Amino acid sequence: MIGLRRVWLGLALVALALISALIVAPARWILLAIPVDAPLSVVAARGTLWAGSANVIIGSASHRRMLPDPLAWEVTWLPVPRLRVTHAWLGGPVEISPGWLGFKITGQTLQMPASVLGAVDARLAAIAPGGDLRASWPPLTFDFRGRLTAPSPLHMDWRQATSALSTVRPLGSYRLTATPDDADGMRLQLKTLQGPLMLEGAGSMTATTTQFDGVARVEPNASSDIRTRLTDLLAAIGPGKNDQTLFSIR
């Protein structure tokens, strides 16, 4: 019996040591869970896994860009466990909590400079986009298979868009709508809200793939001067056909 009690005491001490280590685990352990080729990563993590901050890097390996303000997080346990995330670009805190069907994410808005688009795709980097981006989403639920459900679509608006390749200011304002579908992905729809440069397109996105086809064209009532000043930009976007410029993202 004495030997058995010693075994149990030893196991209890080991468990206590592991729990204590996890509580003060350094925030940089987060880096171990992020794939090297992921489009989003963190650096300079500070604090612990339960309360800390880190600088965020977005984009592909050749066009990565660090956000100017750190992302901060805190885990709370009552009344239910939840992760609270804050950033200067967020309209308010975003909370992630477990539920019966998966994980819940609170709705929120995100506002940022359009220059971050250059980290998404090489062609976007080439046109040096300017203006403002505003993303908004409703409360989201991810089930344990990774499927996303939402009561309404997600939106990304590009307002007062500009490009270093054109002197037209602004080019226009645009909206990308993402609607969760039944195939573990989202349907994408791009439309022009206003402006002389008209963009439209459609596609789909999953956790591993993106397929999007779009068309850029000059507003029919635009002057010849506007058309001339948009020529270089349209050439950089993609090949022209029948007064339309085609582009795709794969």
Side-chain angles (χ1 to χ4, degrees), residues 53-131:
S53 63
N55 292 99
V56 179
I57 294 178
I58 61 173
S60 59
S62 58
H63 296 91
R64 292 200 164 185
R65 180 170 302 183
M66 181 185 296
L67 303 189
D69 299 293
L71 180 79
W73 66 87
E74 180 183 12
V75 177
T76 58
W77 302 99
L78 295 175
V80 295
R82 68 182 65 234
L83 172 64
R84 188 173 187 266
V85 179
T86 58
H87 189 271
W89 290 357
L90 287 168
V94 174
E95 295 188 346
I96 305 171
S97 58
W100 291 108
L101 301 178
F103 291 91
K104 299 178 181 180
I105 302 177
T106 55
Q108 194 49 265
T109 60
L110 174 67
Q111 192 157 347
M112 51 194 161
S115 57
V116 301
L117 290 173
V120 176
D121 184 80
R123 284 165 296 182
L124 288 172
I127 69 173

Side-chain angles (χ1 to χ4, degrees), residues 18-234:
L18 290 175
I19 293 173
S20 300
L22 187 59
I23 291 175
V24 297
R28 62 178 178 273
W29 282 15
I30 296 175
L31 276 64
L32 301 177
I34 302 177
V36 176
D37 58 349
L40 184 148
S41 186
V42 297
V43 295
R46 301 167 289 276
T48 69
L49 292 176
W50 313 112
S53 63
N55 292 99
V56 179
I57 294 178
I58 61 173
S60 59
S62 58
H63 296 91
R64 292 200 164 185
R65 180 170 302 183
M66 181 185 296
L67 303 189
D69 299 293
L71 180 79
W73 66 87
E74 180 183 12
V75 177
T76 58
W77 302 99
L78 295 175
V80 295
R82 68 182 65 234
L83 172 64
R84 188 173 187 266
V85 179
T86 58
H87 189 271
W89 290 357
L90 287 168
V94 174
E95 295 188 346
I96 305 171
S97 58
W100 291 108
L101 301 178
F103 291 91
K104 299 178 181 180
I105 302 177
T106 55
Q108 194 49 265
T109 60
L110 174 67
Q111 192 157 347
M112 51 194 161
S115 57
V116 301
L117 290 173
V120 176
D121 184 80
R123 284 165 296 182
L124 288 172
I127 69 173
D132 298 310
L133 293 178
R134 186 181 187 275
S136 61
W137 62 91
L140 308 174
T141 299
F142 284 89
D143 65 21
F144 293 109
R145 295 176 297 174
R147 178 175 295 180
L148 171 66
T149 57
S152 58
L154 294 70
H155 296 294
M156 172 75 80
D157 288 353
W158 184 8
R159 302 281 184 172
Q160 300 297 302
T162 65
S163 167
L165 299 184
S166 175
T167 57
V168 176
R169 297 286 193 278
L171 299 170
S173 295
Y174 313 94
R175 171 167 294 176
L176 178 67
T177 300
T179 305
D181 59 25
D182 297 328
D184 298 339
M186 291 190 290
R187 300 188 306 274
L188 305 177
Q189 189 77 35
L190 175 65
K191 69 176 183 179
T192 299
L193 301 177
Q194 62 178 10
L197 177 64
M198 304 186 69
L199 303 175
E200 59 185 26
S204 62
M205 181 174 64
T206 68
T208 57
T209 62
T210 299
Q211 294 185 339
F212 187 89
D213 295 298
V215 174
R217 56 189 174 87
V218 182
E219 184 183 28
N221 296 329
S223 65
S224 58
D225 176 64
I226 292 292
R227 292 178 180 275
T228 299
R229 291 158 60 193
L230 288 174
T231 300
D232 291 342
L233 174 59
L234 290 171

